[in-house]
Amino acid sequence: MNRESDPMSRPVANSLRDEFGMARAILEYSLRENIAGFTLSGLKIPRILQTWRPGSELPPADEFALEVAIYQEHLGDRIAALSCNRKMLQEIWRFNEATREFRELELTIPEAAREVLDQLANLVNALFDQDRSAAIRSLAHCQNRRYDLVEEIAHKLSPPEAMHA
């Protein structure tokens, strides 16, 4: 079945697009408010990301996908906390739960996984350097990639996840 004509995945894809847009708005706001307050202290950087360089060989997804997806969540939590806004932080927690399966599936697509790792490394470096513009560019790049993949991945989501994505 053509995934773009699949009536079951279209609402899920639209919902995911909304999720990504809301999360990006919160994260960008948080970075604009207080990037100077960001710290990597206490965040365990995934093994694959510690040595990742563009063009590196990609191991099988089952060796890193869950660890990277969870790291993305922790990083998002940390960024959202910069806003000092409890509702925004709660929204990011909800977003993380609603999109975890999507983010894990995204990492099973080799080309997408490479981009995820490239941009995650760029984002971490930008945060470390307190380079707000570079961090926001990384967030934008990630959102655009996800928009490109949402139709492909939406039909793979399990029904319980898909219902509240």
Side-chain angles (χ1 to χ4, degrees):
M1 176 180 273
N2 180 342
R3 63 180 175 264
E4 291 181 14
S5 66
D6 181 357
M8 297 302 285
S9 68
R10 192 171 307 120
V12 173
N14 290 338
S15 179
L16 284 166
R17 284 185 192 97
D18 291 346
E19 294 286 353
F20 298 137
M22 178 62 75
R24 179 178 168 197
I26 290 170
L27 297 176
E28 283 188 13
Y29 172 84
S30 300
L31 290 170
R32 290 181 199 285
E33 285 297 299
N34 189 20
I35 194 170
F38 184 83
T39 177
L40 287 169
S41 179
L43 283 180
K44 183 178 181 289
I45 297 174
R47 282 184 317 260
I48 190 169
L49 203 55
Q50 292 174 18
T51 58
W52 183 257
R53 301 286 178 266
S56 294
E57 182 151 343
L58 197 62
D62 63 349
E63 292 180 16
F64 70 91
L66 180 60
E67 182 183 20
V68 169
I70 291 171
Y71 180 73
Q72 289 172 319
E73 293 174 10
H74 291 255
L75 192 59
D77 293 349
R78 186 70 60 94
I79 294 170
L82 296 172
S83 72
C84 297
N85 182 313
R86 185 173 173 83
K87 289 195 179 281
M88 286 185 178
L89 185 56
Q90 289 172 334
E91 182 61 23
I92 290 298
W93 292 339
R94 191 201 56 72
F95 164 81
N96 286 340
E97 182 66 29
T99 62
R100 180 176 295 147
E101 187 178 9
F102 177 95
R103 287 178 288 106
E104 286 183 63
L105 287 169
E106 176 182 43
L107 291 163
T108 66
I109 301 168
E111 183 177 316
R114 285 183 184 90
E115 274 193 63
V116 168
L117 295 169
D118 288 348
Q119 288 306 314
L120 197 50
N122 289 343
L123 178 58
V124 168
N125 288 331
L127 291 167
F128 183 77
D129 293 340
Q130 297 186 359
D131 184 342
R132 181 182 300 122
S133 296
I136 289 172
R137 275 194 309 275
S138 285
L139 292 174
H141 185 88
C142 292
Q143 181 179 8
N144 292 337
R145 182 196 60 254
R146 287 178 174 153
Y147 279 4
D148 290 345
L149 291 172
V150 75
E151 294 290 340
E152 180 177 344
I153 293 176
H155 76 282
K156 296 178 182 179
L157 294 172
S158 62
E161 290 294 319
M163 295 313 293
H164 63 70

